[in-house]
Every structure is written in structure tokens, then in C-alpha cells.
Amino acid sequence: MHIEPGLVTGAKLAVGYATAVTAGGYTLKLAAETIREKGLASLAVRSLIAAACVFTFFQILPHYPVGVSEVHFILGSTLFLILGAAPAAFGLTAGLLVQGLFFAPFDLPQFGMNITTLLVPLFAVKALADRIIPAHRPYVDLDYGQTLALSTAYQGGVVAWVAFWAFLGQGFGAASVASVATFGSAYMLVVLIEPLTDLAVLAAAKAARGRMPAGLFTPRLHQAA
């Protein structure tokens, strides 16, 4: 989902910085809620875990250039279900920043756009989870349909934002539309994999219930709301 260098240039880059600041403000709101719920230490540890996971997803797992961007296994819904929204958001931000600083400095001018592309769909997943998951049901008891809905929301949001940046930078020409369509088609294949990953991780967490340090995971993993 990286926005390729040169796709958006000049003054248009400011749009990405503005959206990233807005996403950052909402992340801080979620962080304050998390601190009230489980404390600062829990937020910090979960954020570090998320950052390590994100760096691994981006730098080590396979990723392929397709159309207007790259296809990555971000596993955004997995991070949300295990760690919570705020730690996942901090982890996505930190993991992407570390990758940019040490391995892909050419991506740094696009950092605002890339982080918006990662965070706003995460917030959509949180809103959807609040709506479709009953308050009495912990995340370890989710079914395939629910995890599919969350994964589709995340991946669909990523595709939508990549399309926005592509059209912002290159316009609505036939080549741009075709490139976005190619990327979107390839990226949605991730939807076939991520729900299965979510269910496998949740099943492992359910089997380990009572033996997992509570502060390392979101309370909703094993508890009702």
C-alpha cells in the first residue's frame, strides 16, 4: 500500500500531512481511553509489540508491486483484535516510520499519505466492530463472518485511500484508472487470507485463556465489553 515516490508531488503532499495529523489526533483520543482502561504501561507494551509486528509485516513478509502501489500483508484487523485500536495505531505508525528511516528513506516524503492509508481504515474497523460484535461476546468467540467483515473493511479502506492518492496525483486518466483497478483487484485477494489468520490467532488466544498476561492484550480479547 506504499504510495510510490513521484505519484503525488509538490503542494499536493500537504494533503497527506493534513490527513495524517487528523488521524494522529484521533489516535491520541483512543490512547487516552486505553490509558484509563488499562494504564500507560499496558499501552506502551502493546504498542511496542504492534510496532515489531508491523515492521516484520512490511520488511520481511512477501510484498509485490502491483499497479499503482504494492500489495502487503498488513494484518490490520489482526492487530486490532489482539492488541486494541490505539496500540495498533501506534504500532502501524512506528513500524512504518522505522522502515522508512532505516530501509526506505525514499518513502519518507509520502509518510503522511501512507500513515493515513493505514490508520483511517483501522478506525473504520473499530467502528464496525463496535457495531457488529455484541457487547457480551469477547473477540476470541468471533466467527468467520465477523472476521471477514472486519478484514474486508480494513483492506477495502486501504484500497480506497490508495485510489484517492493516485487520482489526486495523476488525475482520472485511463492509465491511472487501470492501474488503480489492477492494484485493487490484487489487494482484495488478501481478504481471503486475513480472516483465516484472525481466526487462527484468536483460537490460539482462546486456548491460552488464563495463561496470558492480561496487560499485553486488549481486554476485549477474553472479556465482554
Side-chain angles (χ1 to χ4, degrees), residues 6-71:
L7 185 67
V8 179
T9 57
K12 293 179 181 179
L13 287 170
V15 177
Y17 301 139
T19 56
V21 168
T22 303
Y26 187 69
T27 299
L28 293 178
K29 176 181 180 295
L30 295 176
E33 295 173 357
T34 302
I35 292 172
R36 286 195 297 269
E37 182 181 53
K38 294 296 292 184
L40 179 59
S42 176
L43 172 64
V45 172
R46 282 189 273 162
S47 297
L48 287 173
I49 293 171
C53 290
V54 170
F55 178 78
T56 300
F57 299 159
F58 283 156
Q59 192 64 29
I60 298 176
L61 291 185
H63 51 278
Y64 307 97
V66 178
V68 75
S69 186
E70 294 180 340
V71 173

Side-chain angles (χ1 to χ4, degrees), residues 204-222:
K206 187 173 185 177
R209 184 183 306 202
R211 301 192 301 274
M212 300 169 65
L216 297 185
F217 305 96
T218 177
R220 276 303 303 275
L221 183 61
H222 292 115

Side-chain angles (χ1 to χ4, degrees), residues 6-8 13 32-33 36 50 56-57 62 73-74 79 83 98 103 108 124 126 133 136 141 158 184 196 201-202 213:
L7 185 67
V8 179
L13 287 170
E33 295 173 357
R36 286 195 297 269
T56 300
F57 299 159
F73 293 101
I74 306 172
L79 294 173
L83 300 171
V98 169
F103 296 93
L108 291 177
K126 181 185 184 305
I133 300 173
H136 64 271
D141 292 332
V158 168
L196 299 176
V201 172
L202 292 175

